[in-house]
Amino acid sequence: MPEQDYMRRAIELAKNGVGWTAPNPMVGAVLVKDGRVISAGWHRRCGGLHAEREALAALTEPARGATLYVTLEPCCHHGRTPPCTDAILEHGITRVVIGSRDPNPLVSGQGAAKLRAAGVEVVEDFLRAECDALNPEFFWYITHKTPYAVMKYAMTLDGKIASRTGASRWITGETARAHVHALRGRYAAILAGIGTVLADDPMLNCRLPGAHQPLRVILDSRLRIPPESQICKTAHEYPTLVVCCFPDPERRHALEALGLEVAVLPEADGRVSLPALMALLGQKQISSVLIEGGGQVHEAALRAGIVRHVCAYIAPKLLGGRDAKTPVEGLGAASPDGAALLDGLRLTRLGEDILLEYDVKKGMDADVHGHC
């Protein structure tokens, strides 16, 4: 079997940890000896065994002389678990093939160096682009200490996220909506504004069986969220953080009594400072956030420069309407030069809908502000 197949098997195994490993990365490992796969494993959840140790624990024969294919450089420090490099050496593995390099300063280059110093043959950057694609959230978080933020929306072909009456159910079909729930299960948090809560009364949860449930984060400058909203009624079931900058003590106490966490952050032009929110989430070890905030929040996020990636679900519908809502509202850029710039197009067909994904090359110029 070609070596690429072993690493691609490790990549597929790593994906089993989607949503559960944060703030750790998703990692897969495959052990091969005499042309046979003798064991495999993946990092199942934060605090659990790393992929290498999972594979070693599943061995039914000695690994001495084997080759390890692993999607991320093995760790060489004591964290929640002992160093994987020690386990590799203890089992007599003679060759290690690595996909991604670990940007964590506690590991970066040192894991590979420790193995080489012990006489292990190390191959780096093997199918690196495919391995790197597993963990953009981890790579950003470990180097910036703030979440990797993804802006997501569904719109018609003429750029409307709701009709002129505010109706938005449903813009896209069932396949695309199921994909959105899978996306929610991937990210550590989901962010929406109070406008979305008041207009749609959403749950903001992942409805796939057995999936990870993200922290729900609500931007609510003046704590207007109704106690009878779905968010409040399910706060004991799904962890929820409401962030404000003008707290009313009685409202705050009432929300906390319902099971919501309330945080007071600095304001910027009358709204919650999004950079301050990203810093707070980073301190809480929230490594990624899916922004489903509506047009005002999306514009504020682009202007604040916090958006790293965009997911746009596009339905084959034309709603029209001068006053129908669009994905990015506010005042908008003053000229094309001030627009947010995207690159790295990825296209996926989902039934009759399509998903367009881009990385954010440059945020929207911050000369004016929206409100949330």
Side-chain angles (χ1 to χ4, degrees):
M1 182 184 293
E3 284 199 300
Q4 290 90 336
D5 290 350
Y6 296 132
M7 185 62 85
R8 289 195 174 110
R9 180 170 176 179
I11 290 171
E12 291 306 309
L13 287 169
K15 294 176 183 177
N16 290 323
V18 66
W20 295 106
T21 64
N24 286 353
M26 292 185 286
V27 184
V30 172
L31 277 164
V32 178
K33 185 176 181 180
D34 299 327
R36 298 176 295 113
V37 174
I38 60 172
S39 190
W42 68 91
H43 184 38
R44 296 175 183 270
R45 61 178 63 235
C46 183
L49 294 178
H50 288 186
E52 301 93 321
R53 288 185 176 271
E54 280 278 354
L56 292 169
L59 280 167
T60 58
E61 62 180 274
R64 185 164 298 279
T67 295
L68 171 68
Y69 295 84
V70 61
T71 57
L72 183 71
E73 180 180 4
C75 67
C76 56
H77 69 289
H78 284 270
R80 294 182 175 91
T81 58
C84 289
T85 49
D86 291 358
I88 291 168
L89 297 175
E90 288 165 7
H91 281 80
I93 293 168
T94 55
R95 185 167 181 262
V96 176
V97 180
I98 297 169
S100 296
R101 300 192 181 210
D102 194 332
N104 186 340
L106 297 174
V107 179
S108 184
Q110 299 177 61
K114 183 174 181 178
L115 293 173
R116 286 194 178 102
V120 176
E121 179 188 352
V122 178
V123 177
E124 295 182 276
D125 300 331
F126 190 80
L127 296 186
R128 181 171 178 177
E130 293 179 46
C131 292
D132 283 356
L134 285 168
N135 293 298
E137 303 89 353
F138 169 74
F139 294 144
W140 176 268
Y141 173 74
I142 203 68
T143 53
H144 294 82
K145 306 304 180 186
T146 58
Y148 180 88
V150 175
M151 188 176 83
K152 167 263 164 186
Y153 54 86
M155 70 178 188
T156 59
L157 192 58
D158 57 341
K160 309 298 184 181
I161 62 173
S163 71
R164 60 182 174 81
T165 65
S168 60
R169 296 182 181 176
W170 295 104
I171 295 292
T172 53
E174 291 184 6
T175 302
R177 297 201 299 272
H179 193 275
V180 168
H181 281 283
L183 201 65
R184 287 180 177 182
R186 178 184 180 105
Y187 291 95
I190 181 169
L191 172 66
I194 185 60
T196 296
V197 174
L198 295 176
D200 299 335
D201 194 23
M203 285 280 288
L204 298 180
N205 65 335
C206 177
R207 296 171 194 168
L208 300 181
H212 159 76
Q213 292 297 336
L215 169 70
R216 302 182 300 186
V217 182
I218 309 300
L219 292 168
D220 188 5
S221 300
R222 291 170 173 78
L223 294 184
R224 293 186 291 149
I225 187 168
E228 64 275 13
S229 66
Q230 292 290 339
I231 294 291
C232 289
K233 289 194 293 187
T234 59
H236 286 292
E237 185 177 359
Y238 303 110
T240 307
L241 170 67
V242 177
V243 290
C244 65
C245 46
F246 304 107
D248 177 281
E250 291 186 9
R251 290 181 183 173
R252 178 174 183 173
H253 178 75
L255 293 175
E256 290 173 337
L258 291 172
L260 294 87
E261 179 185 358
V262 178
V264 182
L265 293 178
E267 59 92 17
D269 297 298
R271 55 183 173 84
V272 174
S273 165
L274 293 180
L277 173 58
M278 292 298 106
L280 173 65
L281 293 177
Q283 292 165 12
K284 290 178 173 289
Q285 294 192 320
I286 298 298
S287 57
S288 61
V289 57
L290 183 65
I291 304 174
E292 293 192 44
Q296 296 287 346
V297 171
H298 290 168
E299 191 212 27
L302 289 168
R303 289 194 184 282
I306 67 170
V307 181
R308 312 265 71 82
H309 191 75
V310 174
C311 292
Y313 296 83
I314 303 176
K317 299 176 182 178
L318 301 170
L319 268 175
R322 178 184 58 197
D323 299 323
K325 292 184 176 296
T326 60
V328 182
E329 297 178 344
L331 291 178
S335 72
D337 290 341
L341 299 181
L342 313 176
D343 64 7
L345 169 65
R346 277 155 276 177
L347 188 151
T348 305
R349 182 165 182 170
L350 300 167
E352 293 301 310
D353 306 315
I354 61 171
L355 167 62
L356 298 181
E357 294 184 71
Y358 292 92
D359 295 322
V360 177
K361 187 176 181 180
K362 179 187 80 70
M364 189 180 293
D365 283 357
D367 53 347
V368 291
H369 302 279
H371 298 278
C372 52

